[in-house]
Amino acid sequence: GDGSETWRYASKLTKVTLNKSVQNVSGAWFKYGSSQLQEVLGPDRDDVKFYNGCIYNGDYSKLIYWPGGKPYSEELLKTDEEGNCVIKCIGERAFSSKTMPSIITIPNSVTKIEEWAFYGVITSHINIHENVHLSSYSFYGSKMSTIDIATSYFDGVSIFNSCTNLKTIKLHNLTTLPDSTFNSCSQLESVDLPDSLQIINGSVFTNTALKSITIPLNVTEIGKNCFWGCKKWGDINCLPIKAPFL
């Protein structure tokens, strides 16, 4: 398996030491039983490094895992000699189900967020800069109430699916919303869609609480069941001169 059952019932676990014989280290290993975990230690090797109690890949370009009980601070991330963050990728389940500060800003060095990286994370607001690629399910089930998303790289489905505390979204530079992007965000009331948007795929806003929406001028396609289950509608302002293909 993926090792996710390893510490399933170790709810009071605070420290883990991995020896050199351990292979294929993944954040999925700490899916269960890691809410009190403060640090993961071990000898550095070519493929895995340990820094401030966290796990990185061999050149520190990927954050593999941040312990569930360790308070998050951007100042604790690996940096170069000039103090600049060196992380380019936030790995699968790196922050899964973790309580974070009320405002999170993804470091400017990060260009990719892998699947389930922020699954179930508890926070209030997330800022996502323009150069980061978002994978499928990367923020699935996260408990934030607002997001400011500058990136245009939505590379997978269900990226923010089931974020049940999410109320407002501001998007920038985006051309396509993939399937089920905000599906089942049951408190989502307000979405600011960018003028650059062209395609809204299926089930993007299914089972949300949207009261109104403005479809930008350049939208040419709206997918199946895009607004299914939205029961609080007031106004839909459709700007395209030619009706989008449904």
Side-chain angles (χ1 to χ4, degrees), residues 69-163:
K70 182 181 181 68
Y72 174 78
S73 171
E74 191 171 340
E75 295 178 355
L76 296 178
L77 296 171
K78 180 63 176 175
T79 60
D80 59 21
E81 294 180 355
E82 297 177 352
N84 300 310
C85 181
V86 299
I87 300 170
K88 296 180 180 179
C89 177
I90 297 177
E92 180 182 353
R93 295 192 180 275
F95 291 104
S96 182
S97 301
K98 180 175 175 55
T99 299
M100 304 283 279
S102 59
I103 298 177
I104 303 172
T105 298
I106 304 300
N108 288 332
S109 62
V110 173
T111 58
K112 182 178 182 179
I113 297 177
E114 292 189 348
E115 295 182 1
W116 309 104
F118 287 88
Y119 169 77
V121 159
I122 300 172
T123 186
S124 295
H125 180 83
I126 296 179
N127 294 308
I128 302 175
H129 65 79
E130 62 184 352
N131 296 317
V132 62
H133 290 250
L134 305 180
S135 303
S136 295
Y137 314 107
S138 48
F139 289 88
Y140 190 104
S142 296
K143 306 300 181 184
M144 68 285 214
S145 56
T146 60
I147 319 173
D148 194 341
I149 308 170
T151 184
S152 59
Y153 302 113
F154 280 40
D155 294 347
V157 301
S158 294
I159 293 171
F160 298 98
N161 195 318
S162 299
C163 293

Side-chain angles (χ1 to χ4, degrees), residues 221-242:
E221 182 177 342
I222 298 177
K224 185 178 180 181
N225 296 327
C226 183
F227 300 106
W228 188 87
C230 297
K231 301 177 180 179
K232 297 184 178 182
W233 278 119
D235 299 312
I236 300 179
N237 185 15
C238 194
L239 297 182
I241 297 174
K242 183 178 180 180

Side-chain angles (χ1 to χ4, degrees), residues 187-235:
Q187 295 191 58
L188 181 60
E189 297 178 346
S190 174
V191 178
D192 189 354
L193 300 177
D195 293 338
S196 57
L197 189 63
Q198 299 175 23
I199 298 173
I200 304 174
N201 277 304
S203 303
V204 168
F205 296 111
T206 294
N207 291 323
T208 61
L210 286 176
K211 296 179 179 179
S212 64
I213 194 168
T214 296
I215 306 299
L217 180 65
N218 295 313
V219 171
T220 59
E221 182 177 342
I222 298 177
K224 185 178 180 181
N225 296 327
C226 183
F227 300 106
W228 188 87
C230 297
K231 301 177 180 179
K232 297 184 178 182
W233 278 119
D235 299 312

Side-chain angles (χ1 to χ4, degrees), residues 30-43:
F30 305 93
K31 180 179 178 180
Y32 302 112
S34 61
S35 61
Q36 302 299 315
L37 187 60
Q38 295 287 326
E39 59 181 347
V40 182
L41 306 174

